PDB file of all heavy atoms in Angstrom:
ATOM      1  N   ASP A  35       4.108  39.855  60.820  1.00  0.00           N
ATOM      2  CA  ASP A  35       3.511  41.180  60.609  1.00  0.00           C
ATOM      3  C   ASP A  35       3.017  41.294  59.209  1.00  0.00           C
ATOM      4  O   ASP A  35       2.709  42.516  58.848  1.00  0.00           O
ATOM      5  CB  ASP A  35       4.492  42.280  61.021  1.00  0.00           C
ATOM      6  CG  ASP A  35       5.775  42.428  60.405  1.00  0.00           C
ATOM      7  OD1 ASP A  35       6.037  41.289  59.676  1.00  0.00           O
ATOM      8  OD2 ASP A  35       6.410  43.408  60.514  1.00  0.00           O
ATOM      9  N   GLN A  36       3.109  40.403  58.413  1.00  0.00           N
ATOM     10  CA  GLN A  36       2.837  40.493  56.912  1.00  0.00           C
ATOM     11  C   GLN A  36       1.605  39.698  56.747  1.00  0.00           C
ATOM     12  O   GLN A  36       1.390  38.536  57.154  1.00  0.00           O
ATOM     13  CB  GLN A  36       4.040  39.905  56.048  1.00  0.00           C
ATOM     14  CG  GLN A  36       5.149  40.756  56.007  1.00  0.00           C
ATOM     15  CD  GLN A  36       5.101  41.984  55.220  1.00  0.00           C
ATOM     16  OE1 GLN A  36       4.250  42.083  54.328  1.00  0.00           O
ATOM     17  NE2 GLN A  36       5.932  42.993  55.480  1.00  0.00           N
ATOM     18  N   VAL A  37       0.643  40.369  56.037  1.00  0.00           N
ATOM     19  CA  VAL A  37      -0.586  39.679  55.566  1.00  0.00           C
ATOM     20  C   VAL A  37      -0.787  39.965  54.029  1.00  0.00           C
ATOM     21  O   VAL A  37      -0.383  40.973  53.543  1.00  0.00           O
ATOM     22  CB  VAL A  37      -1.766  40.138  56.233  1.00  0.00           C
ATOM     23  CG1 VAL A  37      -1.671  39.700  57.785  1.00  0.00           C
ATOM     24  CG2 VAL A  37      -2.059  41.576  56.171  1.00  0.00           C
ATOM     25  N   CYS A  38      -1.429  39.034  53.411  1.00  0.00           N
ATOM     26  CA  CYS A  38      -1.740  39.251  51.875  1.00  0.00           C
ATOM     27  C   CYS A  38      -3.338  39.037  51.821  1.00  0.00           C
ATOM     28  O   CYS A  38      -3.944  38.700  52.684  1.00  0.00           O
ATOM     29  CB  CYS A  38      -0.931  38.278  51.088  1.00  0.00           C
ATOM     30  SG  CYS A  38      -0.926  38.566  49.246  1.00  0.00           S
ATOM     31  N   ASP A  39      -3.829  39.173  50.628  1.00  0.00           N
ATOM     32  CA  ASP A  39      -5.111  39.079  50.342  1.00  0.00           C
ATOM     33  C   ASP A  39      -5.589  37.684  50.278  1.00  0.00           C
ATOM     34  O   ASP A  39      -5.012  36.812  49.492  1.00  0.00           O
ATOM     35  CB  ASP A  39      -5.479  39.717  49.008  1.00  0.00           C
ATOM     36  CG  ASP A  39      -6.987  39.633  48.607  1.00  0.00           C
ATOM     37  OD1 ASP A  39      -7.716  40.322  49.230  1.00  0.00           O
ATOM     38  OD2 ASP A  39      -7.244  38.855  47.801  1.00  0.00           O
ATOM     39  N   PRO A  40      -6.595  37.249  51.190  1.00  0.00           N
ATOM     40  CA  PRO A  40      -6.879  35.778  51.173  1.00  0.00           C
ATOM     41  C   PRO A  40      -7.437  35.242  49.807  1.00  0.00           C
ATOM     42  O   PRO A  40      -7.115  34.059  49.581  1.00  0.00           O
ATOM     43  CB  PRO A  40      -8.091  35.742  52.263  1.00  0.00           C
ATOM     44  CG  PRO A  40      -7.852  36.982  53.047  1.00  0.00           C
ATOM     45  CD  PRO A  40      -7.272  38.018  52.117  1.00  0.00           C
ATOM     46  N   LEU A  41      -8.124  35.969  49.084  1.00  0.00           N
ATOM     47  CA  LEU A  41      -8.709  35.410  47.802  1.00  0.00           C
ATOM     48  C   LEU A  41      -7.483  35.268  46.802  1.00  0.00           C
ATOM     49  O   LEU A  41      -7.466  34.334  46.157  1.00  0.00           O
ATOM     50  CB  LEU A  41      -9.698  36.337  47.286  1.00  0.00           C
ATOM     51  CG  LEU A  41     -10.449  35.921  45.956  1.00  0.00           C
ATOM     52  CD1 LEU A  41     -11.055  34.517  46.210  1.00  0.00           C
ATOM     53  CD2 LEU A  41     -11.544  36.965  45.576  1.00  0.00           C
ATOM     54  N   ALA A  42      -6.672  36.260  46.743  1.00  0.00           N
ATOM     55  CA  ALA A  42      -5.438  36.131  45.949  1.00  0.00           C
ATOM     56  C   ALA A  42      -4.633  34.934  46.265  1.00  0.00           C
ATOM     57  O   ALA A  42      -4.172  34.155  45.425  1.00  0.00           O
ATOM     58  CB  ALA A  42      -4.590  37.374  45.917  1.00  0.00           C
ATOM     59  N   ASP A  43      -4.496  34.654  47.544  1.00  0.00           N
ATOM     60  CA  ASP A  43      -3.718  33.501  47.938  1.00  0.00           C
ATOM     61  C   ASP A  43      -4.522  32.269  47.831  1.00  0.00           C
ATOM     62  O   ASP A  43      -3.831  31.165  47.662  1.00  0.00           O
ATOM     63  CB  ASP A  43      -3.376  33.638  49.462  1.00  0.00           C
ATOM     64  CG  ASP A  43      -2.292  34.681  49.723  1.00  0.00           C
ATOM     65  OD1 ASP A  43      -1.547  34.887  48.759  1.00  0.00           O
ATOM     66  OD2 ASP A  43      -2.141  35.257  50.731  1.00  0.00           O
ATOM     67  N   TYR A  44      -5.827  32.269  47.805  1.00  0.00           N
ATOM     68  CA  TYR A  44      -6.667  31.082  47.446  1.00  0.00           C
ATOM     69  C   TYR A  44      -6.222  30.571  46.148  1.00  0.00           C
ATOM     70  O   TYR A  44      -6.015  29.325  45.904  1.00  0.00           O
ATOM     71  CB  TYR A  44      -8.160  31.422  47.634  1.00  0.00           C
ATOM     72  CG  TYR A  44      -8.986  30.333  46.989  1.00  0.00           C
ATOM     73  CD1 TYR A  44      -9.263  29.227  47.736  1.00  0.00           C
ATOM     74  CD2 TYR A  44      -9.466  30.449  45.737  1.00  0.00           C
ATOM     75  CE1 TYR A  44     -10.058  28.185  47.220  1.00  0.00           C
ATOM     76  CE2 TYR A  44     -10.290  29.342  45.170  1.00  0.00           C
ATOM     77  CZ  TYR A  44     -10.587  28.312  45.991  1.00  0.00           C
ATOM     78  OH  TYR A  44     -11.415  27.304  45.398  1.00  0.00           O
ATOM     79  N   PHE A  45      -6.206  31.453  45.141  1.00  0.00           N
ATOM     80  CA  PHE A  45      -5.798  30.982  43.833  1.00  0.00           C
ATOM     81  C   PHE A  45      -4.364  30.608  43.614  1.00  0.00           C
ATOM     82  O   PHE A  45      -4.049  29.607  42.938  1.00  0.00           O
ATOM     83  CB  PHE A  45      -6.176  32.060  42.787  1.00  0.00           C
ATOM     84  CG  PHE A  45      -7.621  32.306  42.541  1.00  0.00           C
ATOM     85  CD1 PHE A  45      -8.250  33.436  43.169  1.00  0.00           C
ATOM     86  CD2 PHE A  45      -8.320  31.404  41.778  1.00  0.00           C
ATOM     87  CE1 PHE A  45      -9.623  33.558  42.933  1.00  0.00           C
ATOM     88  CE2 PHE A  45      -9.768  31.688  41.574  1.00  0.00           C
ATOM     89  CZ  PHE A  45     -10.370  32.689  42.245  1.00  0.00           C
ATOM     90  N   LEU A  46      -3.515  31.130  44.507  1.00  0.00           N
ATOM     91  CA  LEU A  46      -2.110  30.630  44.471  1.00  0.00           C
ATOM     92  C   LEU A  46      -2.162  29.181  45.120  1.00  0.00           C
ATOM     93  O   LEU A  46      -1.464  28.355  44.455  1.00  0.00           O
ATOM     94  CB  LEU A  46      -1.322  31.528  45.418  1.00  0.00           C
ATOM     95  CG  LEU A  46       0.224  31.402  45.349  1.00  0.00           C
ATOM     96  CD1 LEU A  46       0.773  31.646  43.956  1.00  0.00           C
ATOM     97  CD2 LEU A  46       0.866  32.330  46.399  1.00  0.00           C
ATOM     98  N   GLY A  47      -2.881  28.975  46.112  1.00  0.00           N
ATOM     99  CA  GLY A  47      -2.970  27.602  46.728  1.00  0.00           C
ATOM    100  C   GLY A  47      -3.593  26.621  45.771  1.00  0.00           C
ATOM    101  O   GLY A  47      -3.266  25.444  45.933  1.00  0.00           O
ATOM    102  N   MET A  48      -4.512  27.048  44.986  1.00  0.00           N
ATOM    103  CA  MET A  48      -5.217  26.169  44.101  1.00  0.00           C
ATOM    104  C   MET A  48      -4.447  25.982  42.741  1.00  0.00           C
ATOM    105  O   MET A  48      -4.907  25.265  41.927  1.00  0.00           O
ATOM    106  CB  MET A  48      -6.596  26.687  43.715  1.00  0.00           C
ATOM    107  CG  MET A  48      -7.505  26.684  44.995  1.00  0.00           C
ATOM    108  SD  MET A  48      -7.726  25.139  45.684  1.00  0.00           S
ATOM    109  CE  MET A  48      -8.655  24.232  44.399  1.00  0.00           C
ATOM    110  N   GLU A  49      -3.260  26.602  42.724  1.00  0.00           N
ATOM    111  CA  GLU A  49      -2.364  26.563  41.553  1.00  0.00           C
ATOM    112  C   GLU A  49      -3.050  27.087  40.259  1.00  0.00           C
ATOM    113  O   GLU A  49      -2.626  26.687  39.161  1.00  0.00           O
ATOM    114  CB  GLU A  49      -1.797  25.133  41.345  1.00  0.00           C
ATOM    115  CG  GLU A  49      -1.138  24.481  42.552  1.00  0.00           C
ATOM    116  CD  GLU A  49      -0.664  23.136  42.279  1.00  0.00           C
ATOM    117  OE1 GLU A  49      -0.689  22.601  41.188  1.00  0.00           O
ATOM    118  OE2 GLU A  49      -0.020  22.553  43.342  1.00  0.00           O
ATOM    119  N   ASP A  50      -3.841  28.074  40.494  1.00  0.00           N
ATOM    120  CA  ASP A  50      -4.406  28.783  39.316  1.00  0.00           C
ATOM    121  C   ASP A  50      -3.537  30.044  39.178  1.00  0.00           C
ATOM    122  O   ASP A  50      -3.958  31.122  39.632  1.00  0.00           O
ATOM    123  CB  ASP A  50      -5.949  29.060  39.551  1.00  0.00           C
ATOM    124  CG  ASP A  50      -6.492  29.945  38.292  1.00  0.00           C
ATOM    125  OD1 ASP A  50      -5.765  30.236  37.417  1.00  0.00           O
ATOM    126  OD2 ASP A  50      -7.710  29.946  38.284  1.00  0.00           O
ATOM    127  N   TYR A  51      -2.389  29.924  38.612  1.00  0.00           N
ATOM    128  CA  TYR A  51      -1.371  31.016  38.666  1.00  0.00           C
ATOM    129  C   TYR A  51      -1.792  32.233  37.759  1.00  0.00           C
ATOM    130  O   TYR A  51      -1.490  33.290  38.211  1.00  0.00           O
ATOM    131  CB  TYR A  51      -0.054  30.412  38.215  1.00  0.00           C
ATOM    132  CG  TYR A  51       0.352  29.274  39.233  1.00  0.00           C
ATOM    133  CD1 TYR A  51       0.509  27.980  38.801  1.00  0.00           C
ATOM    134  CD2 TYR A  51       0.652  29.655  40.571  1.00  0.00           C
ATOM    135  CE1 TYR A  51       0.772  27.004  39.712  1.00  0.00           C
ATOM    136  CE2 TYR A  51       1.062  28.665  41.473  1.00  0.00           C
ATOM    137  CZ  TYR A  51       1.143  27.289  41.077  1.00  0.00           C
ATOM    138  OH  TYR A  51       1.500  26.356  41.900  1.00  0.00           O
ATOM    139  N   PRO A  52      -2.338  32.082  36.582  1.00  0.00           N
ATOM    140  CA  PRO A  52      -2.835  33.254  35.976  1.00  0.00           C
ATOM    141  C   PRO A  52      -3.709  34.092  36.780  1.00  0.00           C
ATOM    142  O   PRO A  52      -3.606  35.368  36.834  1.00  0.00           O
ATOM    143  CB  PRO A  52      -3.379  32.761  34.647  1.00  0.00           C
ATOM    144  CG  PRO A  52      -2.802  31.331  34.389  1.00  0.00           C
ATOM    145  CD  PRO A  52      -2.570  30.878  35.791  1.00  0.00           C
TER     146      PRO A  52
END
Side-chain angles (χ1 to χ4, degrees):
D35 58 349
Q36 290 283 338
V37 294
C38 194
D39 180 75
L41 187 57
D43 286 335
Y44 169 80
F45 287 103
L46 191 63
M48 294 302 293
E49 301 182 7
D50 185 346
Y51 299 111

